[in-house]
Amino acid sequence: MALYEHIYLARQDVSPQQVEALTTQFKGIITSLGGKVSKTEYWGVKSLAYRIKKNRKAHFTLLNIDAPPAAIAEVERQEGLSEDILRFLTLRVDALEEGPSAQLRKRDDDDRGDRRGPGGPRPDRGDRGDRGDRRPRRDEARAEGETF
């Protein structure tokens, strides 16, 4: 059997419980056709880069699948018929990723706080004291009577 990563996007106005029900429905199709789902990740509601069927946000779900191609074809057919599914993508991979996906790791990284470090906004710049005073802007210069 082949290994696949499958992601589907459900409409924003669908509840998370309905998304979970869709996931269990798709898992049932895969297992009934001789495959198995090794990992399921719900990524939550995320903004889309552009509108898809008048939706600006969607529920994202990842499935790691070990199944024959017929099972994947049936899941994709069912997703195409469902009005709650906006898009889906299935990729065949050589090996399934163990542990959390990059998307979940990214969510953990976002909680790390300030990234600038102890030196302030730009510690690599150093002291800019060697620069003299700036000359006045044109508006300020005109107010003082100077011309350019």
Side-chain angles (χ1 to χ4, degrees), residues 49-109:
Y50 54 89
R51 281 195 213 167
I52 300 174
K53 298 181 184 176
K54 300 182 182 178
N55 291 281
R56 292 188 178 273
K57 293 186 175 188
H59 294 271
F60 284 65
T61 304
L62 167 76
L63 303 172
N64 279 354
I65 302 170
D66 182 10
I72 300 299
E74 179 60 22
V75 167
E76 289 180 346
R77 187 183 78 80
Q78 292 289 333
E79 288 175 342
L81 294 174
S82 175
E83 293 180 2
D84 294 332
I85 305 296
L86 299 174
R87 291 280 195 276
F88 57 87
L89 176 70
T90 306
L91 298 173
R92 186 168 180 186
V93 294
D94 294 330
L96 295 175
E97 185 177 342
E98 295 296 325
S101 65
Q103 194 69 26
L104 285 183
R105 285 193 307 264
K106 178 183 172 226
R107 186 183 306 162
D108 293 340
D109 291 345

CSV table of all heavy atoms in Angstrom, one decimal, residues 49-109:
chain,number,residue,atom,x,y,z
A,49,ALA,N,-5.7,32.5,1.7
A,49,ALA,CA,-4.9,33.6,0.9
A,49,ALA,C,-5.9,34.3,0.0
A,49,ALA,O,-5.7,35.5,-0.3
A,49,ALA,CB,-3.8,32.9,0.1
A,50,TYR,N,-6.9,33.7,-0.5
A,50,TYR,CA,-7.9,34.3,-1.3
A,50,TYR,C,-9.2,33.6,-1.1
A,50,TYR,O,-9.3,32.5,-0.5
A,50,TYR,CB,-7.5,34.1,-2.8
A,50,TYR,CG,-7.2,32.7,-3.2
A,50,TYR,CD1,-8.1,31.9,-3.7
A,50,TYR,CD2,-5.9,32.2,-3.1
A,50,TYR,CE1,-7.9,30.6,-4.1
A,50,TYR,CE2,-5.6,31.0,-3.5
A,50,TYR,CZ,-6.6,30.1,-4.0
A,50,TYR,OH,-6.3,28.8,-4.3
A,51,ARG,N,-10.3,34.2,-1.5
A,51,ARG,CA,-11.6,33.6,-1.3
A,51,ARG,C,-11.8,32.3,-2.1
A,51,ARG,O,-11.4,32.2,-3.3
A,51,ARG,CB,-12.7,34.6,-1.8
A,51,ARG,CG,-13.0,35.7,-0.8
A,51,ARG,CD,-14.3,36.3,-1.2
A,51,ARG,NE,-14.2,37.7,-0.9
A,51,ARG,CZ,-15.1,38.6,-1.3
A,51,ARG,NH1,-16.1,38.3,-2.1
A,51,ARG,NH2,-15.0,39.8,-0.9
A,52,ILE,N,-12.4,31.3,-1.5
A,52,ILE,CA,-12.8,30.1,-2.1
A,52,ILE,C,-14.3,29.9,-1.9
A,52,ILE,O,-14.7,29.7,-0.7
A,52,ILE,CB,-12.0,28.9,-1.6
A,52,ILE,CG1,-10.5,29.1,-1.8
A,52,ILE,CG2,-12.4,27.6,-2.2
A,52,ILE,CD1,-9.6,28.0,-1.1
A,53,LYS,N,-15.0,29.9,-2.9
A,53,LYS,CA,-16.5,29.8,-2.8
A,53,LYS,C,-17.1,30.7,-1.8
A,53,LYS,O,-17.8,30.3,-0.9
A,53,LYS,CB,-16.9,28.3,-2.5
A,53,LYS,CG,-16.4,27.3,-3.6
A,53,LYS,CD,-16.8,25.9,-3.2
A,53,LYS,CE,-16.3,24.9,-4.2
A,53,LYS,NZ,-16.6,23.5,-3.8
A,54,LYS,N,-16.7,32.0,-1.9
A,54,LYS,CA,-17.1,33.1,-1.0
A,54,LYS,C,-16.7,32.9,0.4
A,54,LYS,O,-17.3,33.5,1.3
A,54,LYS,CB,-18.6,33.2,-1.1
A,54,LYS,CG,-19.1,33.6,-2.5
A,54,LYS,CD,-20.6,33.8,-2.6
A,54,LYS,CE,-21.0,34.1,-4.0
A,54,LYS,NZ,-22.4,34.2,-4.1
A,55,ASN,N,-15.7,32.1,0.7
A,55,ASN,CA,-15.2,31.9,2.1
A,55,ASN,C,-13.9,32.5,2.3
A,55,ASN,O,-13.0,32.3,1.4
A,55,ASN,CB,-15.2,30.4,2.5
A,55,ASN,CG,-16.6,29.8,2.6
A,55,ASN,OD1,-17.2,30.0,3.6
A,55,ASN,ND2,-17.0,29.1,1.5
A,56,ARG,N,-13.6,33.2,3.4
A,56,ARG,CA,-12.3,33.8,3.6
A,56,ARG,C,-11.5,33.0,4.6
A,56,ARG,O,-10.3,33.2,4.8
A,56,ARG,CB,-12.5,35.2,4.2
A,56,ARG,CG,-13.0,36.2,3.1
A,56,ARG,CD,-13.0,37.6,3.6
A,56,ARG,NE,-13.4,38.5,2.7
A,56,ARG,CZ,-12.7,39.1,1.7
A,56,ARG,NH1,-11.4,38.8,1.6
A,56,ARG,NH2,-13.2,39.9,0.9
A,57,LYS,N,-12.2,32.1,5.4
A,57,LYS,CA,-11.5,31.3,6.4
A,57,LYS,C,-12.0,29.8,6.2
A,57,LYS,O,-13.1,29.6,5.6
A,57,LYS,CB,-11.8,31.7,7.8
A,57,LYS,CG,-11.2,33.1,8.1
A,57,LYS,CD,-11.5,33.4,9.5
A,57,LYS,CE,-10.7,34.7,9.9
A,57,LYS,NZ,-10.8,35.0,11.3
A,58,ALA,N,-11.3,28.9,6.7
A,58,ALA,CA,-11.7,27.5,6.6
A,58,ALA,C,-11.1,26.7,7.8
A,58,ALA,O,-10.1,27.0,8.4
A,58,ALA,CB,-11.2,26.9,5.3
A,59,HIS,N,-11.7,25.5,8.0
A,59,HIS,CA,-11.2,24.5,9.0
A,59,HIS,C,-10.2,23.7,8.2
A,59,HIS,O,-10.5,23.1,7.2
A,59,HIS,CB,-12.3,23.6,9.5
A,59,HIS,CG,-13.3,24.3,10.4
A,59,HIS,ND1,-13.2,24.5,11.7
A,59,HIS,CD2,-14.5,24.9,10.0
A,59,HIS,CE1,-14.2,25.1,12.2
A,59,HIS,NE2,-15.0,25.4,11.2
A,60,PHE,N,-9.0,23.5,8.7
A,60,PHE,CA,-7.9,22.7,8.1
A,60,PHE,C,-7.8,21.4,8.9
A,60,PHE,O,-7.7,21.4,10.1
A,60,PHE,CB,-6.6,23.4,8.1
A,60,PHE,CG,-6.5,24.5,7.1
A,60,PHE,CD1,-7.3,25.7,7.2
A,60,PHE,CD2,-5.6,24.4,6.0
A,60,PHE,CE1,-7.2,26.7,6.3
A,60,PHE,CE2,-5.5,25.5,5.1
A,60,PHE,CZ,-6.3,26.6,5.2
A,61,THR,N,-7.7,20.3,8.2
A,61,THR,CA,-7.5,19.0,8.8
A,61,THR,C,-6.5,18.2,7.9
A,61,THR,O,-6.6,18.1,6.7
A,61,THR,CB,-8.8,18.2,8.9
A,61,THR,OG1,-9.7,19.0,9.6
A,61,THR,CG2,-8.6,16.9,9.7
A,62,LEU,N,-5.5,17.5,8.6
A,62,LEU,CA,-4.5,16.7,8.0
A,62,LEU,C,-4.8,15.2,8.4
A,62,LEU,O,-5.0,14.9,9.5
A,62,LEU,CB,-3.1,17.1,8.4
A,62,LEU,CG,-2.0,16.1,8.1
A,62,LEU,CD1,-1.6,16.3,6.6
A,62,LEU,CD2,-0.8,16.4,9.0
A,63,LEU,N,-4.6,14.3,7.4
A,63,LEU,CA,-4.7,12.9,7.6
A,63,LEU,C,-3.5,12.3,7.0
A,63,LEU,O,-3.1,12.5,5.8
A,63,LEU,CB,-6.0,12.3,6.9
A,63,LEU,CG,-7.3,12.9,7.3
A,63,LEU,CD1,-8.4,12.3,6.4
A,63,LEU,CD2,-7.6,12.6,8.7
A,64,ASN,N,-2.8,11.4,7.8
A,64,ASN,CA,-1.7,10.6,7.3
A,64,ASN,C,-2.3,9.2,7.0
A,64,ASN,O,-2.8,8.6,7.9
A,64,ASN,CB,-0.5,10.5,8.2
A,64,ASN,CG,0.4,11.7,8.2
A,64,ASN,OD1,0.2,12.6,7.3
A,64,ASN,ND2,1.3,11.8,9.1
A,65,ILE,N,-2.2,8.8,5.8
A,65,ILE,CA,-2.9,7.6,5.3
A,65,ILE,C,-2.0,6.6,4.7
A,65,ILE,O,-1.1,6.9,4.0
A,65,ILE,CB,-4.0,8.0,4.3
A,65,ILE,CG1,-4.9,9.0,4.8
A,65,ILE,CG2,-4.8,6.8,3.8
A,65,ILE,CD1,-5.9,9.7,3.8
A,66,ASP,N,-2.2,5.3,5.1
A,66,ASP,CA,-1.6,4.2,4.4
A,66,ASP,C,-2.7,3.3,3.8
A,66,ASP,O,-3.4,2.6,4.5
A,66,ASP,CB,-0.8,3.4,5.5
A,66,ASP,CG,-0.1,2.2,4.9
A,66,ASP,OD1,0.0,2.1,3.6
A,66,ASP,OD2,0.4,1.3,5.7
A,67,ALA,N,-2.9,3.5,2.5
A,67,ALA,CA,-4.1,2.8,1.9
A,67,ALA,C,-3.8,2.6,0.4
A,67,ALA,O,-2.9,3.2,-0.2
A,67,ALA,CB,-5.3,3.7,2.0
A,68,PRO,N,-4.6,1.7,-0.2
A,68,PRO,CA,-4.6,1.5,-1.6
A,68,PRO,C,-5.1,2.7,-2.4
A,68,PRO,O,-5.9,3.5,-1.8
A,68,PRO,CB,-5.4,0.3,-1.9
A,68,PRO,CG,-6.3,0.2,-0.7
A,68,PRO,CD,-5.6,0.8,0.4
A,69,PRO,N,-4.7,2.9,-3.6
A,69,PRO,CA,-5.2,4.1,-4.4
A,69,PRO,C,-6.7,4.2,-4.5
A,69,PRO,O,-7.3,5.3,-4.6
A,69,PRO,CB,-4.5,3.9,-5.7
A,69,PRO,CG,-3.3,3.1,-5.5
A,69,PRO,CD,-3.7,2.2,-4.4
A,70,ALA,N,-7.4,3.0,-4.5
A,70,ALA,CA,-8.9,3.0,-4.7
A,70,ALA,C,-9.5,3.7,-3.5
A,70,ALA,O,-10.5,4.4,-3.6
A,70,ALA,CB,-9.4,1.6,-4.8
A,71,ALA,N,-8.9,3.5,-2.3
A,71,ALA,CA,-9.5,4.2,-1.1
A,71,ALA,C,-9.4,5.7,-1.2
A,71,ALA,O,-10.3,6.4,-0.8
A,71,ALA,CB,-8.8,3.7,0.2
A,72,ILE,N,-8.2,6.2,-1.6
A,72,ILE,CA,-8.0,7.6,-1.8
A,72,ILE,C,-9.0,8.2,-2.8
A,72,ILE,O,-9.5,9.2,-2.6
A,72,ILE,CB,-6.5,7.9,-2.2
A,72,ILE,CG1,-5.6,7.4,-1.1
A,72,ILE,CG2,-6.3,9.4,-2.4
A,72,ILE,CD1,-5.8,8.0,0.2
A,73,ALA,N,-9.1,7.4,-3.9
A,73,ALA,CA,-10.1,7.9,-5.0
A,73,ALA,C,-11.5,8.0,-4.4
A,73,ALA,O,-12.2,9.0,-4.7
A,73,ALA,CB,-10.0,7.0,-6.2
A,74,GLU,N,-11.9,7.1,-3.6
A,74,GLU,CA,-13.3,7.1,-3.0
A,74,GLU,C,-13.4,8.3,-2.0
A,74,GLU,O,-14.4,9.0,-2.0
A,74,GLU,CB,-13.6,5.8,-2.3
A,74,GLU,CG,-15.0,5.8,-1.7
A,74,GLU,CD,-16.1,6.0,-2.7
A,74,GLU,OE1,-15.9,5.8,-3.9
A,74,GLU,OE2,-17.2,6.4,-2.2
A,75,VAL,N,-12.4,8.5,-1.2
A,75,VAL,CA,-12.4,9.7,-0.3
A,75,VAL,C,-12.5,11.0,-1.0
A,75,VAL,O,-13.3,11.9,-0.7
A,75,VAL,CB,-11.2,9.6,0.7
A,75,VAL,CG1,-11.1,10.9,1.4
A,75,VAL,CG2,-11.3,8.5,1.6
A,76,GLU,N,-11.7,11.1,-2.1
A,76,GLU,CA,-11.7,12.3,-2.9
A,76,GLU,C,-13.1,12.5,-3.6
A,76,GLU,O,-13.6,13.6,-3.7
A,76,GLU,CB,-10.6,12.4,-3.9
A,76,GLU,CG,-9.2,12.6,-3.2
A,76,GLU,CD,-8.1,12.6,-4.2
A,76,GLU,OE1,-8.3,12.2,-5.3
A,76,GLU,OE2,-7.0,13.0,-3.8
A,77,ARG,N,-13.7,11.4,-4.0
A,77,ARG,CA,-15.0,11.5,-4.7
A,77,ARG,C,-16.0,12.0,-3.7
A,77,ARG,O,-16.8,12.9,-4.0
A,77,ARG,CB,-15.4,10.1,-5.2
A,77,ARG,CG,-16.6,10.2,-6.1
A,77,ARG,CD,-17.0,8.8,-6.5
A,77,ARG,NE,-17.6,8.0,-5.5
A,77,ARG,CZ,-18.9,8.1,-5.1
A,77,ARG,NH1,-19.7,8.9,-5.7
A,77,ARG,NH2,-19.4,7.3,-4.2
A,78,GLN,N,-16.0,11.4,-2.5
A,78,GLN,CA,-17.0,11.8,-1.4
A,78,GLN,C,-16.7,13.3,-1.0
A,78,GLN,O,-17.7,14.0,-0.8
A,78,GLN,CB,-16.8,11.0,-0.2
A,78,GLN,CG,-17.2,9.5,-0.4
A,78,GLN,CD,-18.7,9.4,-0.5
A,78,GLN,OE1,-19.5,10.2,0.0
A,78,GLN,NE2,-19.2,8.4,-1.3
A,79,GLU,N,-15.5,13.7,-1.0
A,79,GLU,CA,-15.2,15.1,-0.6
A,79,GLU,C,-15.7,16.1,-1.7
A,79,GLU,O,-16.2,17.2,-1.5
A,79,GLU,CB,-13.7,15.4,-0.3
A,79,GLU,CG,-13.3,14.7,1.0
A,79,GLU,CD,-11.8,14.8,1.2
A,79,GLU,OE1,-11.0,15.0,0.3
A,79,GLU,OE2,-11.4,14.7,2.4
A,80,GLY,N,-15.6,15.6,-3.0
A,80,GLY,CA,-16.1,16.5,-4.1
A,80,GLY,C,-17.6,16.6,-4.1
A,80,GLY,O,-18.1,17.6,-4.5
A,81,LEU,N,-18.3,15.6,-3.5
A,81,LEU,CA,-19.7,15.7,-3.5
A,81,LEU,C,-20.2,16.5,-2.3
A,81,LEU,O,-21.3,17.1,-2.3
A,81,LEU,CB,-20.3,14.3,-3.4
A,81,LEU,CG,-20.1,13.4,-4.6
A,81,LEU,CD1,-20.6,12.0,-4.3
A,81,LEU,CD2,-20.8,14.0,-5.8
A,82,SER,N,-19.4,16.6,-1.2
A,82,SER,CA,-19.8,17.3,0.0
A,82,SER,C,-19.8,18.9,-0.2
A,82,SER,O,-18.8,19.4,-0.8
A,82,SER,CB,-18.9,17.0,1.1
A,82,SER,OG,-19.2,17.7,2.3
A,83,GLU,N,-20.8,19.5,0.2
A,83,GLU,CA,-20.9,21.0,0.1
A,83,GLU,C,-20.1,21.7,1.2
A,83,GLU,O,-19.7,22.8,1.1
A,83,GLU,CB,-22.3,21.5,0.1
A,83,GLU,CG,-23.1,21.1,-1.0
A,83,GLU,CD,-24.6,21.6,-1.0
A,83,GLU,OE1,-24.9,22.3,0.0
A,83,GLU,OE2,-25.3,21.3,-1.8
A,84,ASP,N,-19.7,20.9,2.2
A,84,ASP,CA,-19.0,21.5,3.3
A,84,ASP,C,-17.5,21.5,3.1
A,84,ASP,O,-16.7,22.3,3.7
A,84,ASP,CB,-19.2,20.7,4.6
A,84,ASP,CG,-20.6,20.8,5.1
A,84,ASP,OD1,-21.3,21.8,4.8
A,84,ASP,OD2,-21.1,19.9,5.7
A,85,ILE,N,-17.0,20.8,2.1
A,85,ILE,CA,-15.6,20.7,1.8
A,85,ILE,C,-15.3,21.7,0.7
A,85,ILE,O,-15.9,21.7,-0.4
A,85,ILE,CB,-15.1,19.3,1.3
A,85,ILE,CG1,-15.5,18.3,2.3
A,85,ILE,CG2,-13.7,19.3,1.0
A,85,ILE,CD1,-14.8,18.4,3.7
A,86,LEU,N,-14.4,22.7,1.0
A,86,LEU,CA,-14.0,23.7,0.0
A,86,LEU,C,-12.9,23.2,-1.0
A,86,LEU,O,-13.0,23.3,-2.2
A,86,LEU,CB,-13.5,24.9,0.7
A,86,LEU,CG,-14.4,25.7,1.6
A,86,LEU,CD1,-13.7,26.8,2.3
A,86,LEU,CD2,-15.6,26.2,0.8
A,87,ARG,N,-11.9,22.6,-0.4
A,87,ARG,CA,-10.7,22.1,-1.2
A,87,ARG,C,-10.2,20.9,-0.5
A,87,ARG,O,-10.3,20.7,0.7
A,87,ARG,CB,-9.6,23.1,-1.3
A,87,ARG,CG,-9.9,24.3,-2.2
A,87,ARG,CD,-9.7,24.0,-3.6
A,87,ARG,NE,-9.7,25.2,-4.5
A,87,ARG,CZ,-10.7,25.8,-4.9
A,87,ARG,NH1,-11.9,25.4,-4.6
A,87,ARG,NH2,-10.6,26.9,-5.6
A,88,PHE,N,-9.4,20.0,-1.3
A,88,PHE,CA,-8.7,18.9,-0.7
A,88,PHE,C,-7.5,18.7,-1.5
A,88,PHE,O,-7.4,19.1,-2.7
A,88,PHE,CB,-9.5,17.6,-0.6
A,88,PHE,CG,-10.1,17.2,-1.9
A,88,PHE,CD1,-9.4,16.3,-2.7
A,88,PHE,CD2,-11.4,17.6,-2.2
A,88,PHE,CE1,-9.9,15.9,-3.9
A,88,PHE,CE2,-11.9,17.1,-3.4
A,88,PHE,CZ,-11.2,16.3,-4.3
A,89,LEU,N,-6.4,18.1,-0.9
A,89,LEU,CA,-5.2,17.9,-1.6
A,89,LEU,C,-4.6,16.6,-1.0
A,89,LEU,O,-4.5,16.4,0.2
A,89,LEU,CB,-4.2,19.0,-1.4
A,89,LEU,CG,-2.8,18.8,-2.0
A,89,LEU,CD1,-2.9,18.8,-3.5
A,89,LEU,CD2,-1.8,19.9,-1.5
A,90,THR,N,-4.2,15.7,-1.9
A,90,THR,CA,-3.6,14.4,-1.5
A,90,THR,C,-2.2,14.3,-2.1
A,90,THR,O,-2.1,14.5,-3.4
A,90,THR,CB,-4.5,13.2,-1.9
A,90,THR,OG1,-5.8,13.4,-1.4
A,90,THR,CG2,-3.9,11.9,-1.4
A,91,LEU,N,-1.2,14.1,-1.3
A,91,LEU,CA,0.1,13.9,-1.8
A,91,LEU,C,0.6,12.5,-1.5
A,91,LEU,O,0.5,12.1,-0.3
A,91,LEU,CB,1.1,14.9,-1.2
A,91,LEU,CG,0.8,16.4,-1.5
A,91,LEU,CD1,1.7,17.3,-0.7
A,91,LEU,CD2,0.9,16.7,-3.0
A,92,ARG,N,1.3,11.9,-2.4
A,92,ARG,CA,1.9,10.6,-2.1
A,92,ARG,C,3.3,10.9,-1.6
A,92,ARG,O,4.0,11.6,-2.2
A,92,ARG,CB,2.0,9.7,-3.4
A,92,ARG,CG,2.5,8.3,-3.1
A,92,ARG,CD,2.3,7.4,-4.2
A,92,ARG,NE,2.8,6.1,-3.8
A,92,ARG,CZ,2.9,5.1,-4.6
A,92,ARG,NH1,2.5,5.2,-5.9
A,92,ARG,NH2,3.5,4.0,-4.2
A,93,VAL,N,3.6,10.2,-0.5
A,93,VAL,CA,4.9,10.5,0.1
A,93,VAL,C,5.7,9.2,0.3
A,93,VAL,O,5.1,8.1,0.3
A,93,VAL,CB,4.8,11.2,1.5
A,93,VAL,CG1,4.2,12.6,1.4
A,93,VAL,CG2,3.9,10.4,2.4
A,94,ASP,N,7.0,9.3,0.5
A,94,ASP,CA,7.8,8.1,0.7
A,94,ASP,C,7.7,7.6,2.1
A,94,ASP,O,7.8,6.4,2.3
A,94,ASP,CB,9.3,8.4,0.3
A,94,ASP,CG,9.5,8.7,-1.2
A,94,ASP,OD1,8.7,8.1,-2.0
A,94,ASP,OD2,10.4,9.5,-1.5
A,95,ALA,N,7.6,8.5,3.0
A,95,ALA,CA,7.5,8.1,4.5
A,95,ALA,C,6.6,9.1,5.1
A,95,ALA,O,6.6,10.3,4.8
A,95,ALA,CB,8.9,8.1,5.1
A,96,LEU,N,5.8,8.6,6.1
A,96,LEU,CA,4.9,9.5,6.9
A,96,LEU,C,5.7,10.2,8.0
A,96,LEU,O,6.6,9.6,8.6
A,96,LEU,CB,3.8,8.7,7.5
A,96,LEU,CG,2.8,8.1,6.4
A,96,LEU,CD1,1.8,7.3,7.1
A,96,LEU,CD2,2.1,9.3,5.6
A,97,GLU,N,5.4,11.4,8.2
A,97,GLU,CA,6.1,12.2,9.2
A,97,GLU,C,5.6,11.8,10.6
A,97,GLU,O,4.5,11.7,10.9
A,97,GLU,CB,5.8,13.7,9.0
A,97,GLU,CG,6.6,14.6,9.9
A,97,GLU,CD,6.3,16.1,9.6
A,97,GLU,OE1,5.8,16.4,8.5
A,97,GLU,OE2,6.5,16.9,10.4
A,98,GLU,N,6.6,11.5,11.5
A,98,GLU,CA,6.3,11.2,12.9
A,98,GLU,C,6.2,12.4,13.7
A,98,GLU,O,6.9,13.4,13.5
A,98,GLU,CB,7.3,10.2,13.5
A,98,GLU,CG,7.4,8.9,12.8
A,98,GLU,CD,6.1,8.1,12.9
A,98,GLU,OE1,5.5,8.1,14.0
A,98,GLU,OE2,5.7,7.4,12.0
A,99,GLY,N,5.4,12.4,14.7
A,99,GLY,CA,5.3,13.6,15.6
A,99,GLY,C,4.4,14.7,15.0
A,99,GLY,O,3.7,14.4,14.0
A,100,PRO,N,4.4,15.8,15.6
A,100,PRO,CA,3.5,16.9,15.1
A,100,PRO,C,4.0,17.4,13.7
A,100,PRO,O,5.2,17.4,13.4
A,100,PRO,CB,3.6,18.0,16.2
A,100,PRO,CG,4.8,17.7,16.9
A,100,PRO,CD,5.1,16.2,16.8
A,101,SER,N,3.1,17.9,12.9
A,101,SER,CA,3.4,18.4,11.6
A,101,SER,C,4.0,19.8,11.7
A,101,SER,O,4.0,20.4,12.8
A,101,SER,CB,2.1,18.5,10.8
A,101,SER,OG,1.3,19.4,11.3
A,102,ALA,N,4.5,20.3,10.7
A,102,ALA,CA,5.1,21.6,10.7
A,102,ALA,C,4.1,22.7,11.1
A,102,ALA,O,4.5,23.7,11.7
A,102,ALA,CB,5.7,21.9,9.3
A,103,GLN,N,2.9,22.5,10.7
A,103,GLN,CA,1.9,23.5,11.0
A,103,GLN,C,1.7,23.6,12.6
A,103,GLN,O,1.5,24.6,13.1
A,103,GLN,CB,0.6,23.2,10.3
A,103,GLN,CG,-0.4,24.3,10.4
A,103,GLN,CD,0.0,25.4,9.5
A,103,GLN,OE1,0.7,25.3,8.6
A,103,GLN,NE2,-0.5,26.6,9.9
A,104,LEU,N,1.6,22.4,13.2
A,104,LEU,CA,1.5,22.4,14.7
A,104,LEU,C,2.7,22.9,15.4
A,104,LEU,O,2.7,23.6,16.4
A,104,LEU,CB,1.1,21.0,15.2
A,104,LEU,CG,-0.3,20.6,14.9
A,104,LEU,CD1,-0.6,19.2,15.5
A,104,LEU,CD2,-1.3,21.6,15.5
A,105,ARG,N,3.9,22.6,14.8
A,105,ARG,CA,5.1,23.1,15.4
A,105,ARG,C,5.2,24.6,15.3
A,105,ARG,O,5.7,25.3,16.1
A,105,ARG,CB,6.3,22.5,14.7
A,105,ARG,CG,6.6,21.1,15.1
A,105,ARG,CD,8.0,20.6,14.7
A,105,ARG,NE,8.2,20.8,13.3
A,105,ARG,CZ,8.1,19.8,12.3
A,105,ARG,NH1,7.6,18.6,12.7
A,105,ARG,NH2,8.3,20.1,11.1
A,106,LYS,N,4.7,25.2,14.2
A,106,LYS,CA,4.6,26.6,13.9
A,106,LYS,C,3.8,27.3,15.0
A,106,LYS,O,4.1,28.3,15.5
A,106,LYS,CB,4.1,26.9,12.6
A,106,LYS,CG,4.0,28.4,12.3
A,106,LYS,CD,3.4,28.6,10.9
A,106,LYS,CE,3.1,30.1,10.8
A,106,LYS,NZ,1.8,30.4,10.2
A,107,ARG,N,2.7,26.7,15.3
A,107,ARG,CA,1.8,27.2,16.4
A,107,ARG,C,2.5,27.3,17.7
A,107,ARG,O,2.4,28.2,18.4
A,107,ARG,CB,0.5,26.4,16.5
A,107,ARG,CG,-0.5,27.0,17.4
A,107,ARG,CD,-1.7,26.2,17.6
A,107,ARG,NE,-2.3,25.8,16.4
A,107,ARG,CZ,-3.2,24.8,16.3
A,107,ARG,NH1,-3.5,24.1,17.3
A,107,ARG,NH2,-3.8,24.5,15.1
A,108,ASP,N,3.3,26.3,18.0
A,108,ASP,CA,4.1,26.3,19.2
A,108,ASP,C,5.2,27.4,19.2
A,108,ASP,O,5.5,28.0,20.2
A,108,ASP,CB,4.7,24.9,19.5
A,108,ASP,CG,3.7,23.8,19.8
A,108,ASP,OD1,2.6,24.2,20.2
A,108,ASP,OD2,4.0,22.7,19.6
A,109,ASP,N,5.8,27.6,18.0
A,109,ASP,CA,6.8,28.6,17.9
A,109,ASP,C,6.3,30.0,18.0
A,109,ASP,O,7.0,30.9,18.5
A,109,ASP,CB,7.5,28.5,16.5
A,109,ASP,CG,8.4,27.2,16.4
A,109,ASP,OD1,8.6,26.6,17.5
A,109,ASP,OD2,8.7,26.8,15.3
